[in-house]
Amino acid sequence: AQSVTQLDSHVSVSEGTPVLLRCNYSSSYSPSLFWYVQHPNKGLQLLLKYTSAATLVKGINGFEAEFKKSETSFHLTKPSAHMSDAAEYFCVVSDRGDYKLSFGAGTTVTVRA
Amino acid sequence: ETGVTQTPRHLVMGMTNKKSLKCEQHLGHNAMYWYKQSAKKPLELMFVYNFKEQTENNSVPSRFSPECPNSSHLFLHLHTLQPEDSALYLCASSQETKDDEQYFGPGTRLTVT
């Protein structure tokens, strides 16, 4: 069985500063890992996905995440936060090829002007 | 329209009402999903359809009744709901259930009074 732990329930950053959202996972098999973003009153939008290729995954809107098997982590980063990045972010794991996604509890990001 | 659409976006219903949520995907996918998103809880998978056949019912109470008339449409029929059923109901789709990359709709915000 797989599971995800998002280590921060809330992150606050100033506009133009880096963002780091931390995620640890457990999976019995080779995992697929995802980050989704949810803006208020919106559905979930896929930011990026890791399967088995490069461990550094680049996504949309300047986000990237690094898969570290030894640390069972998949942290999401962005070098410079923008006001539009204020949203809730979900780290998600699945056993590769399985539709059953395990969602983290979410991290709410606020961006200060 | 593109992607996954859901109607209505907001719904308020009494406990004795019957209503339906609709989801439509324009991605040519064959798998569709219903999720429940409650405050402060991870997303919960409710139902899964693959090629119009229900492949999973995740112990959902019978007051929720899904229907999938074709691969593009998914309904969730609601009757005699409870206040604790108030939540955001999200629909998603993927190419098939063995494809773990899911695309989400904007959700229906349901309030049961």
Side-chain angles (χ1 to χ4, degrees), chain B residues 7-61:
Chain B
T7 55
R9 295 293 310 277
H10 301 271
L11 178 62
V12 179
M13 60 185 289
M15 289 189 286
T16 59
N17 291 159
K18 291 184 180 181
K19 296 287 184 183
S20 295
L21 309 185
K22 178 183 176 182
C23 174
E24 183 173 2
Q25 58 93 2
H26 309 270
L27 300 169
H29 290 166
N30 296 298
M32 297 188 77
Y33 311 80
W34 279 117
Y35 287 87
K36 177 182 180 182
Q37 186 179 28
S38 303
K40 307 302 181 186
K41 293 177 67 176
L43 265 73
E44 302 170 53
L45 179 63
M46 300 174 70
F47 300 104
V48 180
Y49 280 82
N50 197 37
F51 292 93
K52 302 188 297 179
E53 298 297 320
Q54 186 179 130
T55 57
E56 177 143 354
N57 175 339
N58 199 18
S59 302
V60 180

Side-chain angles (χ1 to χ4, degrees), chain A residues 10-91:
Chain A
H10 186 251
V11 169
S12 180
V13 298
S14 297
E15 190 175 21
T17 64
V19 182
L20 169 64
L21 305 183
R22 299 181 294 164
C23 172
N24 289 127
Y25 72 92
S26 66
S27 175
S28 302
Y29 305 102
S30 297
S32 290
L33 290 155
F34 311 81
W35 276 99
Y36 282 86
V37 61
Q38 186 176 32
H39 288 91
N41 300 313
K42 302 285 188 183
L44 277 72
Q45 180 184 18
L46 181 64
L47 278 178
L48 48 81
K49 172 184 177 181
Y50 166 80
T51 51
S52 61
T55 55
L56 184 63
V57 182
K58 293 189 183 298
I60 61 172
N61 301 334
F63 285 94
E64 64 181 34
E66 186 171 9
F67 173 71
K68 291 187 176 180
K69 186 175 182 178
S70 62
E71 298 176 11
T72 60
S73 69
F74 190 59
H75 300 336
L76 180 72
T77 60
K78 183 173 180 177
S80 178
H82 190 272
M83 296 300 289
S84 61
D85 295 327
E88 188 156 21
Y89 293 78
F90 294 93
C91 182

